[in-house]
């Protein structure tokens, strides 16, 4: 869902679990609400193909298959639930995310030259609102161009999360060109580059 | 335009979720199986329009019919309008993304006067000529409903059909008539003539207005056998009237982001400044069983975890106690919060009081509207100082430290004494707080008072009254400010330029159509948004059209003057409004509909509060 922000997505899920009558665990206290957690927020404008959602079911008899079926029954066509399983890894073990960048126009030479650099210095806004120079080259695990499709594997998770928008804006700035593109997040990996489950 | 291109444009503006559609419960139909396509337009932003209950009701009701596909359209915000104009994207409906230029109907809901320029802008964005006379059979019919229709004369040149009153029945009757006419070669003029025969349908082009040399109306005459007066429609039986089983649930946050359950229409009170209190008469309630059932369905189908009850004055609902008892049962169980308005709770049982105490309370607010009992009697607002003080006391004892009060300035017969009363009431609340031995410890009190400028409205006893001048308002504002001596009172007085314009259009006539068009062409839109409102442009528009706005808003009107809305019948008679106006000037209140009937005329529908046992 391209036009949905992370906040919107949370609102959507709250309503979806109510509507689908999922026996989900509610937080306690004053403002009780259904508890769930999207592992890695997806930026507005991106599509996601492998998104991870963590939630807790309180009915032991309620199967994972049932959960997926119930959610899909009430969801909208653009948001589909694929699979549910017991958590294998902890959220903090998320290490990388894979993106497909589809360019409308390709500047293969410039793109390849950019990713071949040893150092890619860019400015990142800090939490305090200032900017600081960082080298993003070590955070780019893979960059492979094939036709007009660029596959990027970037560090993800709480620390060192690298947003592809920053990579691309740096690319345009340093290589001095501009191209329209769209972004799909295709996979989320753990440290061993295994699909996160 | 291809999908990719469109998506990219959407991503270039703020809040693309306003334009993308695809929300839960939005209705998609197969075009080939549809006879009538209806573009339901709300002339303001998505967030405001999507919060509006009337739109949700009609959207669901139209779509319950297999032959109709009703889609939603909102006014694009400035940034997206620019993108649309630059890329030649015509105004489209959210569901199908089809241009509404090709629909059968473009329907507007008119909730406030300050949206009129948006109506024009949306027609223009749709690629449709603004004036009804310039649209032949190849264009959609442009229709409008909502409270402003009780005097939408300023829009008379632009709209083909107005619907008076509640739309649930009359809208569908007109659509059915349209289908019939389409079978035998559609002729717009013939259709409009036939539609005018349906009760509640007002076709402005069939009415001719003549003016006197002094600018007042000389006569209103009809053409082609259109009825002399048009009576509003109401739904008499609320228990059996349509109510949506679901709402479209937006992704982006809207103003009222929750399920809304209607409990009754109308208001028994008859506050003399309040248009809604008159044009929705008589009060018609739903039974609590129906309300409870509908509310539950709504929560289930939307997944909302918050629901509120909707009416003009929910504490006047006769079955409030059984309703709350029933609703609290399932809302608590399902973690749904029930938003309660401030209630008169005098005669509730202990048990219910305790239950309500668990429900999250909204802030403590009052609307005394005027500062002295005398002026509250004039406006027939039956809130007393004792009530306010005692409710505040209970609330302070319960831990509240903030209270909000709403007032109006420029009410008929208002003197400086009354303004001083506003400040004094605030001071009394502050003093009471500090005199309480059991006040919340270590906290100071905050009383915020918001004072708006009174706008006289048609179909109220104050329709004859002038609005105050700008100079008078400024003087009054300064005086009121000088009356406030404590920093515990936070006084806010709105910039009132929009109130002045609102008064002009509320009581205006057809000649204002030219001003609207001119202001719109100068770029006026979203006039209810301070960041967009441009008084300068409006003043230019008035002077270019040779129209004096003060003629409409600052003039006291004689009882026998013909008003631009006198051919419209909202079931409250002009005699009643005159009676009420005289009582106001005699500082005399009128009992509410449950205490005593005041013979306003609204009993003509044979239903509602008028027939309750007193
Ligand atoms: S006819 Fe009487 S009871 Fe009915 S709405 Fe009018 S004043 Fe109220």
């Amino acid at each position: 869902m391209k036009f949905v922000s992370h906040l919107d997505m949370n609102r959507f899920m709250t309503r979806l679990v109510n509507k689908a009558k999922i026996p989900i665990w509610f937080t306690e206290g004053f403002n009780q609400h259904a508890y769930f957690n999207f592992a890695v927020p997806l930026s507005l404008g991106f599509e996601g193909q492998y998104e991870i959602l963590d939630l807790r079911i309180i009915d032991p008899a309620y199967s994972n298959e049932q959960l997926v079926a119930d959610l899909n029954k009430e969801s909208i066509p653009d948001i589909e639930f694929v699979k549910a399983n017991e958590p294998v890894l902890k959220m903090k073990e998320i290490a990388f995310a894979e993106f497909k960048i589809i360019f409308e126009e390709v500047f293969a030479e410039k793109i390849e030259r950019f990713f071949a650099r040893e150092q890619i210095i860019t400015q990142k806004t800090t939490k305090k609102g200032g900017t600081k120079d960082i080298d993003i080259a070590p955070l780019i695990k893979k960059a492979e161009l094939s036709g007009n499709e660029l596959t990027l594997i970037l560090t993800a998770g709480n620390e060192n999360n690298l947003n592809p928008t920053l990579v691309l804006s740096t690319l345009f700035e340093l290589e001095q060109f501009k191209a329209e593109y769209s972004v799909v997040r295709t996979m989320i990996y753990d440290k061993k580059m295994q699909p996160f489950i | 335009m291809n999908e990719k291109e469109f998506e990219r444009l959407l991503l270039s503006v703020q809040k693309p979720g306003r334009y993308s559609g695809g929300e839960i419960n939005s209705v998609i139909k197969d075009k080939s199986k549809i006879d009538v396509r209806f573009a339901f337009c709300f002339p303001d932003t998505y967030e405001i329009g999507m919060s509006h209950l009337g739109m949700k009701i009609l959207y669901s009701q139209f779509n319950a019919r297999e032959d109709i596909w009703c889609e939603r359209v909102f006014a694009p915000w400035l940034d997206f309008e620019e993108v649309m104009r630059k890329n030649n994207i015509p105004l489209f409906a959210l569901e199908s993304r089809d241009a509404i230029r090709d629909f059968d109907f473009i329907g507007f809901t008119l909730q406030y006067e300050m949206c009129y320029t948006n109506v024009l802008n949306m027609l223009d964005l749709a690629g449709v000529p603004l004036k009804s006379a310039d649209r032949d059979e190849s264009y959609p019919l442009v229709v409008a409903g909502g409270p402003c229709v009780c005097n939408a004369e300023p829009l008379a040149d632009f709209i083909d059909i107005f619907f008076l009153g509640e739309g649930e029945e009359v809208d569908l009757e007109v659509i059915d008539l349209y289908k019939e006419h389409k079978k035998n070669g559609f002729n717009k003029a013939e259709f409009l003539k036939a539609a005018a025969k349906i009760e509640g349908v007002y076709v402005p082009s069939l009415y001719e207005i003549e003016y006197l040399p002094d600018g007042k109306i000389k006569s209103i005459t009809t053409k082609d056998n259109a009825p002399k007066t048009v009576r509003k429609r109401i739904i008499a039986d609320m228990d059996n009237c349509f109510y949506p089983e679901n709402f479209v649930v937006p992704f982006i946050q809207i103003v009222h982001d929750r399920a809304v359950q209607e409990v009754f229409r109308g208001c028994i009170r008859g506050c003399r400044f309040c248009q809604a209190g008159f044009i929705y008469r008589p009060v018609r309630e739903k039974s609590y069983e129906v309300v409870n059932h509908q509310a539950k369905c709504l929560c289930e189908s939307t997944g909302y975890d918050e629901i509120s009850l909707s009416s003009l004055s929910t504490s006047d609902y006769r079955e409030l106690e059984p309703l709350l008892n029933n609703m609290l049962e399932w809302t608590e169980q399902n973690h749904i919060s029930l938003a309660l308005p401030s209630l008169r709770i005098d005669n509730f049982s202990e048990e219910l009081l305790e239950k309500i105490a668990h429900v999250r309370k909204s802030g403590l607010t009052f609307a005394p509207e005027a500062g002295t009992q005398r002026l509250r009697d004039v406006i027939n607002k039956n809130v007393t100082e004792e009530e306010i003080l005692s409710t505040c006391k209970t609330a302070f004892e319960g831990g509240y430290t903030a209270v909000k009060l709403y007032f109006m300035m420029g009410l008929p017969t208002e003197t400086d004494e009354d303004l001083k009363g506003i400040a004094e009431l605030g001071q009394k609340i502050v003093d009471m707080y500090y005199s309480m031995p059991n006040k919340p410890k270590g906290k100071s009190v905050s009383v915020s008072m918001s004072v708006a400028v009174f706008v006289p409205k048609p179909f109220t006893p104050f329709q004859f009254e002038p609005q105050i001048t700008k100079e008078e308002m400024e003087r009054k504002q300064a005086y009121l400010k000088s009356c406030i001596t404590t920093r515990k009172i936070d006084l806010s007085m709105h910039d009132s330029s929009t109130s002045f314009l609102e008064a002009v259009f509320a009581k205006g006539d057809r000649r204002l159509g030219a001003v609207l068009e001119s202001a719109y062409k100068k770029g006026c839109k979203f006039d209810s948004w301070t960041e967009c409102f441009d008084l300068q442009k409006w003043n230019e528009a008035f002077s270019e059209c040779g129209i004096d706005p003060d003629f409409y808003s600052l003039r006291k009107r004689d009882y026998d003057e013909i008003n631009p809305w006198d051919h419209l019948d909202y079931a409250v008679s002009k005699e009643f409004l005159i009676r009420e106006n005289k009582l106001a000037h005699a500082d005399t209140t009128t009992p509410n509909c449950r205490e005593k009937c005041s013979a306003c005329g609204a009993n003509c529908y044979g239903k509602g509060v008028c027939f309750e046992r007193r």
Side-chain angles (χ1 to χ4, degrees):
Chain A
M1 274 306 281
K2 284 193 172 171
F3 305 109
V4 173
S5 72
H6 182 57
L7 257 175
D8 297 337
M9 196 61 202
N10 278 327
R11 258 197 296 274
F12 171 84
M13 263 321 282
T14 307
R15 288 158 193 170
L16 187 65
V17 296
N18 288 341
K19 191 164 146 69
K21 299 203 165 71
I22 307 299
I24 191 173
W25 181 73
F26 272 70
T27 60
E28 274 147 34
F30 186 64
N31 183 14
Q32 306 189 347
H33 60 271
Y35 174 80
F36 55 82
N37 182 25
F38 282 96
V40 200
L42 187 67
S43 305
L44 184 84
F46 291 5
E47 266 175 81
Q49 288 179 346
Y50 190 90
E51 295 304 305
I52 299 158
L53 176 69
D54 182 26
L55 49 77
R56 207 192 303 169
I57 297 296
I58 49 173
D59 177 3
Y62 190 74
S63 73
N64 289 334
E65 292 69 37
Q66 190 64 43
L67 171 64
V68 171
D70 285 348
L71 287 172
N72 279 330
K73 199 165 138 260
E74 298 294 343
S75 188
I76 53 169
D78 281 350
I79 298 177
E80 197 196 331
F81 295 83
V82 183
K83 187 169 171 265
N85 56 251
E86 306 307 313
V88 178
L89 297 166
K90 293 208 178 80
M91 286 295 181
K92 61 172 195 264
E93 290 173 74
I94 289 173
F96 301 102
E98 180 182 82
F99 298 88
K100 262 199 174 57
I101 318 292
I102 299 137
F103 288 103
E104 230 122 277
E105 247 178 302
V106 244
F107 294 81
E109 206 176 302
K110 294 185 173 201
I111 293 171
E112 269 152 15
R113 186 169 64 209
F114 174 78
F115 287 107
R117 292 171 187 237
E118 297 236 316
Q119 256 194 346
I120 303 176
I121 304 293
T122 188
Q123 283 198 331
K124 199 178 172 171
T125 43
T126 61
K127 285 200 179 97
K128 283 185 191 130
T131 54
K132 70 170 189 209
D133 283 349
I134 56 161
D135 178 12
I136 57 173
L139 307 180
I140 302 171
K141 174 128 178 127
K142 177 178 162 186
E144 202 175 271
L145 187 68
S146 138
N148 66 338
E149 239 184 65
L150 172 69
T151 305
L152 282 179
I153 296 182
L154 310 176
T155 55
N158 277 341
E159 286 157 47
N160 290 328
N161 190 60
L162 181 59
N163 190 318
T165 310
L166 183 66
V167 179
L168 291 162
S169 61
T170 312
L171 163 69
F172 297 147
E173 194 191 312
L174 296 185
E175 297 296 336
Q176 308 220 330
F177 73 107
K178 184 94 186 94
E180 299 289 352
Y181 63 90
S182 57
V183 181
V184 188
R185 183 157 72 194
T186 47
M187 186 52 73
I188 292 173
Y189 296 106
D190 67 6
K191 283 191 201 70
K192 299 183 199 122
M193 281 298 290
Q194 295 301 308
F196 185 90
I197 40 175
Chain B
M1 165 151 317
N2 72 36
E3 183 71 17
K4 269 237 151 66
E5 181 76 22
F6 182 78
E7 285 181 356
R8 190 162 53 236
L9 292 174
L10 272 194
L11 285 171
S12 71
V13 300
Q14 269 180 50
K15 302 196 195 173
R18 286 168 165 170
Y19 318 104
S20 61
E23 308 94 323
I24 291 187
N25 295 334
S26 69
V27 178
I28 301 291
K29 293 190 175 186
D30 176 354
K31 277 183 241 184
S32 66
K33 300 196 174 96
I34 297 298
D35 296 329
V36 176
R37 296 191 69 181
F38 195 104
F40 199 127
C41 303
F42 195 102
D44 210 317
T45 62
Y46 178 91
E47 292 92 319
I48 292 178
M50 283 297 289
S51 302
H52 185 251
L53 180 59
M55 182 173 197
K56 296 177 202 268
I57 295 177
L58 292 175
Y59 178 78
S60 297
Q61 193 190 16
F62 287 8
N63 280 323
R65 285 253 313 240
E66 269 179 23
D67 53 342
I68 306 173
W69 187 7
C70 174
E71 302 180 49
R72 295 161 299 144
V73 187
F74 301 94
W77 187 245
L78 312 180
D79 58 351
F80 192 54
E81 179 185 342
E82 203 185 309
V83 168
M84 287 171 74
R85 290 198 185 274
K86 209 155 91 198
N87 294 277
N88 294 316
I89 302 174
L91 191 62
F92 57 90
L94 292 189
E95 280 76 359
S96 63
R97 241 171 242 172
D98 289 338
I100 65 169
R101 156 77 178 81
D102 303 320
F103 281 40
D104 300 282
F105 286 89
I106 294 179
F108 288 96
T109 175
L110 307 174
Q111 297 295 318
Y112 24 83
E113 292 81 4
M114 302 309 285
C115 73
Y116 290 172
T117 49
N118 275 13
V119 170
L120 300 194
N121 196 31
M122 286 170 81
L123 287 175
D124 185 56
L125 275 167
V128 165
L130 299 184
K131 291 221 168 96
S132 174
D134 299 335
R135 294 188 300 261
D136 61 13
E137 281 77 4
S138 72
Y139 290 103
L141 287 158
V142 178
V143 301
C148 288
V149 166
C150 77
N151 180 33
E153 288 300 286
L155 284 176
D157 292 347
F158 311 104
I159 305 286
D160 299 320
I161 294 178
F162 288 113
F163 298 119
L164 271 63
E166 293 160 15
E168 283 107 323
E169 291 171 355
V170 60
D171 292 8
L172 292 178
E173 288 165 24
V174 168
I175 290 177
D176 284 335
L177 182 75
Y178 169 81
K179 276 178 69 175
E180 211 152 279
H181 274 242
K182 257 184 93 173
K183 273 190 219 140
N184 326 314
F186 187 75
N187 175 292
K188 185 175 168 185
E190 289 304 316
F191 170 74
L192 291 179
K193 250 190 269 176
K197 301 214 157 52
I198 298 175
E199 185 162 82
V201 170
Y202 171 45
V203 177
S205 56
L206 300 182
Y207 294 74
E208 203 127 19
I209 320 288
E210 271 192 89
Y211 301 93
L212 294 163
D214 65 3
K216 293 179 192 155
I217 291 174
K218 180 172 171 224
S219 64
I220 302 174
T221 47
T222 64
K223 286 192 278 193
D224 297 324
N225 293 325
K228 278 209 153 38
T229 59
V230 184
R231 169 170 290 180
K232 73 162 178 182
R233 291 285 288 271
I234 66 161
I235 302 298
D237 180 3
M238 290 297 292
D239 273 348
N240 291 306
C241 90
F242 180 90
Y243 202 72
E245 278 171 14
N246 63 46
F247 286 180
V248 175
V249 187
F251 282 107
I252 64 171
Q253 186 144 33
I254 59 172
V255 181
H256 301 295
D257 210 355
R258 62 180 85 96
V260 181
Q261 175 59 44
E262 187 178 33
V263 288
F264 64 88
R265 292 188 186 166
C267 179
I268 58 170
R269 304 262 153 206
C271 301
R272 291 180 180 129
F273 56 85
C274 174
Q275 189 180 50
F278 294 94
I279 63 171
Y280 296 122
R281 287 186 173 211
V283 165
R284 289 142 293 142
E285 294 186 332
K286 291 184 181 183
S287 68
Y288 79 87
E289 292 96 338
V290 169
V291 176
N292 184 53
H293 174 75
Q294 291 179 342
K296 200 167 169 198
C297 288
L298 209 50
C299 283
E300 280 173 3
S301 68
T302 55
Y304 270 125
D305 54 7
E306 191 181 345
I307 186 162
S308 67
L309 299 175
S310 160
S311 75
L312 290 170
S313 163
T314 300
S315 48
D316 288 328
Y317 183 52
R318 284 179 302 164
E319 300 176 312
L320 192 58
E321 178 148 5
L323 174 65
L324 293 182
N325 269 322
N326 276 277
M327 284 185 75
L328 285 169
E329 232 166 75
W330 56 267
T331 49
E332 265 173 30
Q333 206 177 15
N334 296 298
H335 307 272
I336 292 168
S337 74
L338 174 59
L340 290 180
S342 34
L343 296 171
R344 292 163 195 241
I345 45 175
D346 339 332
N347 36 26
F348 281 7
S349 70
E350 287 268 322
E351 199 191 343
L352 181 58
L353 278 179
E354 201 160 301
K355 275 195 211 162
I356 298 178
H358 293 301
V359 179
R360 201 160 26 141
K361 276 170 275 181
S362 49
L364 188 59
T365 59
F366 298 95
E369 309 290 0
T372 59
Q373 194 58 45
R374 183 201 69 81
L375 191 53
R376 285 196 291 272
D377 288 347
V378 168
I379 63 177
N380 206 36
K381 178 90 202 185
N382 74 334
V383 176
T384 65
E385 192 171 297
E386 292 76 64
E387 265 170 18
I388 294 171
L389 290 175
S390 82
T391 312
C392 283
K393 185 155 187 256
T394 322
F396 291 154
E397 278 162 357
Y400 275 92
T401 56
V403 43
K404 204 164 180 175
L405 298 125
Y406 293 93
F407 295 93
M408 276 185 290
M409 168 177 284
L411 286 162
T413 79
E414 183 182 83
T415 63
D416 283 357
E417 202 52 33
D418 300 306
L419 294 173
K420 199 159 124 209
I422 296 178
E424 282 170 357
L425 180 57
Q427 188 65 49
K428 278 181 195 158
I429 297 174
V430 172
D431 292 346
M432 184 191 65
Y433 181 87
Y434 286 107
S435 71
M436 280 170 53
N438 52 349
K439 62 175 172 288
K441 275 192 194 67
K443 284 189 187 154
S444 82
V445 69
S446 113
V447 177
S448 50
M449 309 219 271
S450 149
V451 186
V453 173
F454 166 67
V455 179
K457 292 273 170 111
F459 293 103
T460 68
F462 290 160
Q463 66 174 9
F464 312 101
E465 304 289 337
Q467 195 179 38
I468 50 169
T469 62
K470 198 169 168 55
E471 295 72 41
E472 184 60 1
M473 181 206 69
E474 279 161 4
R475 190 196 65 77
K476 281 174 189 266
Q477 286 188 338
Y479 174 71
L480 174 55
K481 226 183 232 155
S482 75
C483 292
I484 290 174
T485 50
T486 163
R487 304 219 345 240
K488 308 286 176 217
I489 296 178
D490 169 43
L491 178 68
S492 68
M493 294 186 283
H494 311 267
D495 165 50
S496 45
S497 317
T498 52
S499 311
F500 293 126
L501 204 60
E502 195 186 325
V504 173
F505 280 95
K507 297 213 283 177
D509 60 33
R510 289 184 181 192
R511 291 170 294 186
L512 290 177
V515 180
L516 261 183
E517 199 176 338
S518 156
Y520 155 70
K521 290 204 168 124
K522 291 177 188 302
C524 291
K525 57 191 143 194
F526 284 106
D527 294 302
S528 55
W529 295 72
T530 23
E531 64 261 55
C532 300
F533 182 68
D534 188 339
L535 186 62
Q536 172 85 34
K537 285 191 186 135
W538 277 103
N539 286 336
E540 283 167 26
F542 279 109
S543 68
E544 272 168 34
C545 298
I547 286 182
D548 173 16
D550 299 350
F551 172 78
Y552 297 100
S553 57
L554 298 186
R555 189 165 55 83
K556 185 163 175 78
R557 302 192 189 193
D558 288 336
Y559 291 146
D560 56 11
E561 176 177 340
I562 299 173
N563 287 306
W565 56 89
D566 277 356
H567 55 310
L568 306 181
D569 174 4
Y570 273 71
V572 288
S573 66
K574 195 165 178 183
E575 293 73 49
F576 167 73
L577 297 177
I578 293 172
R579 264 197 326 268
E580 279 290 296
N581 184 272
K582 289 180 176 159
L583 286 171
H585 284 280
D587 298 357
T588 309
T589 60
T590 294
N592 74 48
C593 291
R594 285 218 168 94
E595 290 162 0
K596 184 169 171 288
C597 170
S598 305
C600 73
N603 59 353
C604 59
Y605 297 100
K607 274 270 166 82
V609 64
C610 327
F611 299 90
E612 283 172 12
R613 296 250 302 275
R614 291 189 182 83

